[in-house]
Amino acid sequence: MTKEELMRRAISLAVENVANGGGPFGAVIARDGEIVAEGVNRVTPNHDPTAHAEVSAIRAACAKLQTFDLTGYEIYTSCEPCPMCLGAIYWAHLDRIYYGANQHDAAEIDFDDVFIYKELAVPVEERQKQMLRLLPTEALAAFNAWREKDDKVAY
């Protein structure tokens, strides 16, 4: 499939998902023009705020391929990824992101991620959601255990 065909599939998934009670977002993960996994936004039907199309597609691809590393794959998403999805895309090591609508288009239909984008640039102490550090020394126990683990799988 061409890049345009893959994007059309992501858009088609988004349109179909609206009819099926989900949000207007779809995503496809592909390699060399072949679809490996698809995902749609199921936030409200699944009562899961993390069930965005991109995250759903990443989960499906990783389960199918039995890996957490999607290096060599690309994601086609009907809309510019929100900060959560963008983070997931980076953690999954996808090579490239193709998107249709952008964050401003999404804001016009009340999916306003601009607040989160702005909030990430604000110092922790000044964010609208209060963040308080608690037991930092004790929290390092898990990090020390990881550091000392000989058979860990780095990611």
Side-chain angles (χ1 to χ4, degrees), residues 1-154:
M1 297 177 82
T2 67
K3 291 173 177 30
E4 292 78 11
E5 289 170 326
L6 292 164
M7 180 57 75
R8 285 188 185 105
R9 178 61 185 152
I11 293 167
S12 175
L13 287 168
V15 172
E16 291 170 19
N17 197 49
V18 171
N20 292 326
F25 305 98
V28 169
I29 293 179
R31 182 178 195 157
D32 299 325
E34 297 293 322
I35 295 174
V36 175
E38 299 177 339
V40 293
N41 181 290
R42 302 302 291 168
V43 169
T44 56
N46 292 4
H47 309 289
D48 179 355
T50 68
H52 289 201
E54 297 90 339
V55 171
S56 297
I58 289 168
R59 288 175 180 162
C62 289
K64 180 178 181 176
L65 300 168
Q66 293 295 288
T67 185
F68 55 83
D69 186 349
L70 297 176
T71 299
Y73 294 85
E74 302 173 329
I75 189 164
Y76 296 78
T77 180
S78 62
C79 185
E80 180 179 359
C82 75
M84 176 185 70
C85 293
L86 188 59
I89 289 165
Y90 274 87
W91 279 115
H93 303 285
L94 286 153
D95 289 1
R96 193 167 289 112
I97 305 164
Y98 294 95
Y99 65 94
N102 67 25
Q103 62 179 285
H104 306 292
D105 299 322
E108 288 184 23
I109 58 166
D110 297 325
F111 288 94
D112 196 353
D113 302 331
V114 172
F115 161 74
I116 300 171
Y117 282 109
K118 288 180 181 175
E119 190 77 353
L120 291 173
V122 173
V124 172
E125 307 80 29
E126 298 174 26
R127 292 185 182 161
Q128 290 190 25
K129 296 272 184 202
Q130 192 174 33
M131 294 179 64
L132 304 166
R133 195 164 183 199
L134 186 62
L135 301 176
T137 303
E138 290 179 38
L140 292 177
F143 287 5
N144 292 332
W146 177 260
R147 182 181 298 110
E148 295 167 13
K149 186 173 175 61
D150 292 329
D151 61 344
K152 64 185 166 222
V153 178

